[in-house]
């Protein structure tokens, strides 16, 4: 019986290790609700559930969960499954883009991988163009991953990825590509999208968001006042560090290009960043912002915000510091679905240290076994890891001089752990100030 138990545990380790190897960052703009969440109206996505072939953006796959009033509208459907991959800083095109020189105008069918010892991670010690126009410029205090590395050293394993030169990585589409690739392109990382039919129109893997996504239902479109500072928020399912920005483009220009959105970046209210719990309550935190005074950013003169939620690695192999953050079966973390020792795997300090005392539902040395978060996610702390307990919220500055009208908001998340960029688009009405 003991031997059988050991065999079962070993099998579970192998299965979970294989799953961890294909995990990817997934996130979505929640407030305002995005066009990318258009399929939330379908019965299979109610309450944050997902249909077969999709990944839930807020709950356990194929299961509903108590999402909270603040997250429910924007967090349902497949909004976190629109992104670009194989996108390195200073390159003209992502490797998933047929326009990339390596693809000769055709949809790529060659596997896209990183380098050893983590070839499973896109961008690991690897640039996807031969002559990048920029190198990593982000100062180390703004890094979100592998913070013990020496800038540019061999084990500075994420130096080619988007956040290391904010805004300089290309994208396939400014509202995201469904599934992050074309269906025939071999790539891991939960690169999936379930084909859906909404109001008689079919949406499928490989679709370009700026071209195919319908406007948000008018009843869910907010009105912003010129000169005001409305609150926005985004939420993750899987965390890859990095940073983010919000931009505008006049609706009449749609489909707007990435360059169009870069013409109207929105600034942040620097002292207004907060954790917004899924029920809408707020926990203020001190944000870190990157503009031209910190390092060159794209577009020039704009501001980016650092992701304040620390990633918890599944292993630190290939990092400057490894510690006890090792792949199974070497890990000693009790109750772990897969490895990690939380303290050694967590990439930087939590923004809510008085709440984040180990694993959510567990403790500092034991992941939860009987109690789990509402979405069945064991790989998170109160404000850390693959975090689904809340959202990252900011106030953005609507320019006083902006022309009133209908606009599209593009949210862009430049990852640091991988060569990936998540993007969603939403609709807003902007009116003149009464002053």
């Amino acid at each position: 019986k003991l031997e059988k138990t050991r065999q079962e545990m070993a099998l579970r380790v192998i299965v979970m290790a294989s799953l961890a190897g294909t995990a990817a960052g997934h996130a979505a703009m929640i407030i305002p609700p995005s066009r990318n969440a258009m399929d939330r109206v379908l019965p299979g996505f109610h309450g944050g559930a997902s249909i077969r072939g999709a990944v839930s953006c807020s709950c356990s796959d194929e299961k509903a969960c108590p999402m909270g009033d603040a997250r429910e509208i924007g967090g349902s459907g497949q909004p976190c499954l629109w992104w670009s991959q194989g996108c390195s800083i200073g390159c003209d095109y992502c490797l998933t883009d047929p326009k990339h020189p390596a693809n000769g105008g055709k949809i790529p069918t060659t596997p896209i991988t990183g380098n050893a010892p983590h070839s499973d991670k896109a961008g690991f010690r690897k640039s996807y163009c031969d002559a990048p126009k920029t190198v990593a410029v982000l100062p180390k205090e703004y890094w979100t991953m592998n913070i013990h590395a020496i800038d540019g050293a061999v084990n500075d394993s994420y130096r080619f990825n988007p956040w290391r030169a904010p805004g300089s990585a290309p994208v396939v589409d400014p509202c995201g590509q469904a599934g992050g690739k074309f269906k025939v392109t071999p790539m891991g990382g939960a690169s999936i999208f379930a084909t859906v039919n909404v109001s008689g129109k079919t949406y499928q893997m490989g679709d370009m968001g700026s071209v195919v996504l319908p406007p948000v239902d008018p009843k869910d479109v907010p009105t912003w006042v010129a000169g005001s500072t409305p609150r926005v928020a985004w939420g993750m399912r899987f965390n890859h560090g990095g940073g983010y920005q919000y931009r505008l483009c006049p609706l009449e220009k749609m489909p707007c290009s990435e360059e169009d959105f870069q013409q109207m970046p929105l600034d942040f209210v620097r002292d207004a960043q907060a954790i917004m719990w899924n029920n809408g309550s707020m926990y203020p935190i001190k944000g870190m912002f990157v503009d031209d005074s910190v390092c060159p950013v794209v577009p020039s003169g704009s501001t980016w915000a650092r992701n304040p939620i620390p990633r918890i690695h599944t292993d630190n192999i290939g990092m400057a510091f490894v510690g006890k953050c090792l792949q199974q079966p070497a890990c000693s973390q009790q109750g772990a679905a897969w490895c990690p020792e939380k303290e050694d795997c967590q990439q930087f300090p939590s923004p809510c240290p008085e709440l984040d005392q180990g694993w959510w539902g567990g403790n500092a040395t034991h992941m939860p076994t009987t109690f789990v978060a509402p979405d069945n996610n064991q790989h998170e702390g109160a404000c850390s890891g693959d975090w689904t307990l809340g959202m990252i919220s900011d106030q953005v500055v609507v320019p006083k001089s902006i022309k009133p009208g209908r606009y599209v908001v593009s949210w862009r998340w430049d990852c640091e752990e991988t060569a990936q960029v998540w993007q969603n688009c939403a609709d807003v009405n902007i009116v003149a100030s009464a002053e």
Side-chain angles (χ1 to χ4, degrees):
K1 184 176 181 180
L2 178 60
E3 181 59 28
K4 182 179 180 181
T5 301
R6 286 175 176 167
Q7 291 174 353
E8 290 173 345
M9 290 177 65
L11 179 61
R12 184 170 183 246
V13 164
I14 292 171
V15 171
M16 293 310 300
S18 67
L19 289 174
T22 60
H26 289 77
M29 174 166 53
I30 308 295
I31 302 173
S34 71
R35 295 182 173 201
N36 307 72
M38 47 77 199
D39 47 8
R40 64 184 172 83
V41 299
L42 300 178
F45 293 104
H46 286 178
S50 60
I51 62 176
R52 189 176 299 275
V55 168
S56 172
C57 296
S58 301
C59 307
S60 300
D61 293 345
E62 300 183 26
K63 297 179 181 178
C65 68
M67 297 174 64
D69 293 341
R71 190 169 184 139
E72 188 166 8
I73 295 178
S76 297
Q78 300 181 90
C80 66
L81 297 181
W82 296 80
W83 78 104
S84 302
Q85 303 192 76
C87 311
S88 303
I89 58 175
C91 297
D92 290 326
Y93 302 101
C94 303
L95 192 54
T96 50
D97 193 331
K99 295 190 292 291
H100 191 287
N103 297 328
K106 298 179 180 180
I107 294 174
T109 56
T110 302
I112 298 174
T113 63
N115 283 330
H118 259 303
S119 60
D120 57 307
K121 291 184 180 182
F124 192 89
R125 300 185 180 179
K126 189 173 190 176
S127 172
Y128 293 112
C129 62
D130 294 332
K133 297 175 181 177
T134 187
V135 295
V137 294
L138 189 72
K140 182 180 284 191
E141 58 263 38
Y142 296 90
W143 293 10
T144 58
M145 307 290 303
N146 194 24
I147 62 174
H148 301 285
I150 296 174
D151 195 348
V154 172
N155 62 12
D156 181 11
S157 300
Y158 302 132
R159 62 189 179 277
F160 301 115
N161 291 341
W163 179 235
R164 295 294 296 275
S168 75
V171 297
V172 176
D173 188 274
C175 298
Q177 182 181 22
K181 67 182 185 70
F182 294 98
K183 191 172 184 177
V184 297
T185 303
M187 193 158 192
S191 299
I192 58 178
F193 185 87
T195 299
V196 293
N197 187 289
V198 181
S199 301
K201 184 175 181 179
T202 299
Y203 302 88
Q204 59 189 347
M205 188 93 165
D207 280 349
M208 300 298 169
S210 66
V211 177
V212 305
L213 289 171
V216 173
D217 188 325
K219 68 179 176 59
D220 295 322
V221 175
T223 295
W224 290 357
V225 178
S228 68
T229 55
R231 188 161 284 281
V232 294
W234 66 280
M236 65 184 72
R237 173 76 192 276
F238 302 116
N239 189 0
H240 276 339
Y244 58 96
Q245 186 180 72
Y246 295 87
R247 303 87 56 80
L248 293 174
C249 182
L251 178 64
E252 60 266 24
K253 281 193 174 183
M254 285 294 283
C256 298
S257 66
E258 176 66 12
E259 291 71 25
D260 288 330
F261 281 112
Q262 288 176 351
Q263 297 302 308
M264 300 184 71
L266 296 178
D267 201 355
F268 294 91
V269 177
R270 302 298 178 97
D271 60 356
Q273 192 175 80
I275 285 170
M276 178 185 287
W277 305 111
N278 289 338
N279 64 5
S281 61
M282 308 289 286
Y283 178 96
I285 58 176
K286 181 177 175 58
M288 295 182 68
F289 300 92
V290 179
D291 56 23
D292 287 325
S293 69
V294 174
C295 67
V297 297
V298 178
S300 179
S302 70
T303 304
W304 291 75
R306 176 183 185 252
N307 176 2
I309 304 299
R311 164 78 162 130
I312 302 175
H313 257 158
T314 49
D315 70 76
N316 275 346
I317 295 172
M319 304 298 106
F321 169 75
V322 176
K324 295 180 180 179
C325 188
L326 298 166
Q327 291 176 326
Q328 292 278 22
C331 174
S332 62
Q333 181 74 55
Q334 292 180 310
W338 60 81
C339 174
E341 290 280 345
K342 185 175 187 294
E343 183 175 350
D344 286 358
C345 291
Q346 186 168 303
Q347 296 299 292
F348 61 88
S350 168
C352 64
E354 73 280 12
L355 302 176
D356 207 338
Q357 301 292 317
W359 298 103
W360 178 257
N363 57 45
T365 60
H366 199 298
M367 294 182 82
T369 51
T370 56
F371 171 83
V372 293
D375 63 345
N376 200 33
N377 175 18
Q378 297 184 5
H379 198 240
E380 65 180 326
C383 307
S384 56
D386 291 335
W387 186 66
T388 53
L389 299 172
M391 298 161 284
I392 299 161
S393 182
D394 294 272
Q395 287 179 258
V396 291
V397 180
V398 181
K400 291 182 179 180
S401 59
I402 195 168
K403 180 182 177 182
R406 299 170 66 189
Y407 287 81
V408 176
V409 184
S410 170
W411 160 82
R412 172 172 168 156
W413 173 33
D414 280 19
C415 295
E416 185 171 5
E417 186 180 7
T418 53
Q420 298 173 313
V421 177
W422 261 260
Q423 288 180 279
N424 280 182
C425 287
D427 293 87
V428 296
N429 298 321
I430 297 181
V431 299
S433 171
E435 297 180 358

